[in-house]
Amino acid sequence: SRPENFHYGWATNGPNVYEAEFDPATGKLGRPVLLSETVPGHNWRPSYSPDGKSIAWLVSNVTTPNPQVGDLVIRDLASGREKSFRAGTPFHSLSWSPDSRRILLQAQSIEANTVEIHMFDLATGQFSLFASLSPHRNPLHPVFSKDGSTVYA
């Protein structure tokens, strides 16, 4: 059997995203390699795309004057190239669409006292507000249905 890659988050001096080779036949895990080098210690929620071509994670961008700004990072697994997308709000969760073309992200709007669900379109590189929920209705993790036609929160 051929080894597969295993991506995971690990918190030492803050959360980071690592990659390690994993052999499912033996259960052996290779040496971890840090993927999240841009802002070490402020990366979390790694998630594979359903097509297996990309991995995305969230970054709390503490290097900006406004700590309420965060990034969505998407890494192409074949080339290793990363793209960072600046958001106007820090996100708390992410979930891929079944076709790997969109990502749902949850944010808390302190000013509006609401929970917001944003949609990121990989083709355009744009975020859009998908839903704003009234106070105290905090979805744990918005997700797409299996066919991508419905969002559950």
Side-chain angles (χ1 to χ4, degrees):
S1 73
R2 144 180 121 63
E4 300 293 332
N5 285 339
F6 174 65
H7 293 85
Y8 60 96
W10 184 264
T12 58
N13 301 323
N16 287 302
V17 178
Y18 292 84
E19 176 183 48
E21 287 192 9
F22 176 69
D23 185 340
T26 64
K28 295 203 186 251
L29 187 64
R31 183 183 172 115
V33 176
L34 179 66
L35 292 184
S36 54
E37 295 183 31
T38 307
V39 186
H42 300 279
N43 306 274
W44 65 90
R45 306 269 192 238
S47 179
Y48 271 114
S49 61
D51 64 10
K53 295 179 180 179
S54 302
I55 186 171
W57 65 85
L58 302 173
V59 177
S60 171
N61 198 335
V62 296
T63 62
T64 65
N66 179 0
Q68 294 302 312
V69 173
D71 293 337
L72 169 66
V73 175
I74 301 174
R75 181 183 184 102
D76 179 280
L77 293 172
S79 69
R81 284 191 300 261
E82 289 180 11
K83 290 184 182 178
S84 291
F85 301 92
R86 177 63 37 99
T89 184
F91 293 118
H92 304 290
S93 69
L94 68 91
S95 179
W96 289 87
S97 63
D99 62 7
S100 300
R101 294 173 42 198
R102 296 167 290 162
I103 298 175
L104 288 173
L105 302 120
Q106 176 196 331
Q108 183 84 31
S109 173
I110 296 167
E111 297 83 24
N113 196 24
T114 59
V115 171
E116 297 175 347
I117 299 173
H118 296 255
M119 180 104 49
F120 180 77
D121 185 311
L122 274 73
T124 65
Q126 298 294 310
F127 294 95
S128 61
L129 181 62
F130 179 74
S132 183
L133 306 175
S134 62
H136 309 296
R137 301 193 98 169
N138 191 1
L140 297 177
H141 189 76
V143 295
F144 286 95
S145 61
K146 187 175 181 178
D147 66 2
S149 66
T150 306
V151 171
Y152 296 96

